[in-house]
Amino acid sequence: GDLSAYLPLPLLSMASSLESSRFPMVDPAKSSSHQQSKESPRSKSPSSYLEKSIRANPNDPFAWHLMGVHCMTKQSIDEGFRCFSRAEQIKVGFSASNQYYLGLCHKEKGNREDSMRMLSSALSLPARNAVDKKGQKLARILLEQMKREEKDSK
């Protein structure tokens, strides 16, 4: 389905400006830092800057989180899940928004219990910024929706 309804607006507007082709995930450890692009700096997409940021600091959970958001805008659930999971491995509980996205990925993959656990976890974390607040709001809405669906199916 269309995931745009589940993406917080600040991230959705940033991610919607990315190029339209599907982003090929690059393993930063295997990427050559010597690769030179023949594109002008103005023609580079935001995803190329995210790749560069991850290569420069592969332990930055925020860069991995943004890469996951980018993947989600491209309907790439598995790649988004991988990025959000990596961010969480680097720093557990660093972002309510990241846990919301993990919950959304679990839901899309059919892992209902894991989804509800992550969405609840997102609600229990402090909201440190507007993105986390929006993530918590969407986590609450999605969790309530899933609980209603569960109740209606019984």
Side-chain angles (χ1 to χ4, degrees):
D2 180 20
L3 297 173
S4 62
Y6 298 107
L7 298 175
L9 291 179
L11 295 177
L12 180 59
S13 62
M14 188 260 341
S16 66
S17 69
L18 301 173
E19 80 267 8
S20 60
S21 65
R22 184 172 175 208
F23 175 73
M25 284 303 298
V26 175
D27 182 352
K30 295 178 182 173
S31 295
S32 169
S33 60
H34 302 301
Q35 291 176 334
Q36 294 292 323
S37 173
K38 293 184 180 177
E39 299 176 37
S40 72
R42 290 190 181 275
S43 67
K44 283 192 171 186
S45 70
S47 65
S48 66
Y49 291 107
L50 288 171
E51 282 181 0
K52 188 174 183 178
S53 177
I54 289 172
R55 280 194 305 271
N57 184 1
N59 292 316
D60 179 358
F62 296 100
W64 282 104
H65 173 75
L66 288 174
M67 186 65 80
V69 171
H70 170 71
C71 293
M72 296 295 283
T73 63
K74 302 297 181 198
Q75 305 292 314
S76 182
I77 305 300
D78 291 335
E79 290 177 10
F81 181 76
R82 185 178 70 80
C83 292
F84 298 127
S85 295
R86 178 69 183 123
E88 199 65 23
Q89 288 171 350
I90 293 168
K91 190 170 182 182
V92 176
F94 80 99
S95 168
S97 179
N98 197 66
Q99 290 197 354
Y100 159 71
Y101 278 109
L102 280 168
L104 177 59
C105 288
H106 277 299
K107 179 185 183 294
E108 293 296 315
K109 291 163 77 74
N111 304 328
R112 183 175 177 72
E113 287 181 25
D114 289 334
S115 176
M116 293 179 84
R117 181 177 50 79
M118 291 310 299
L119 294 170
S120 295
S121 180
L123 295 174
S124 71
L125 291 175
R128 295 181 178 95
N129 52 46
V131 173
D132 277 350
K133 287 178 185 174
K134 182 69 173 185
Q136 285 182 326
K137 178 181 178 183
L138 292 171
R140 187 174 294 107
I141 291 168
L142 186 55
L143 190 58
E144 289 171 1
Q145 174 189 338
M146 291 175 73
K147 287 178 180 179
R148 273 194 310 274
E149 289 169 358
E150 185 176 66
K151 183 179 173 185
D152 292 346
S153 70
K154 290 183 179 180

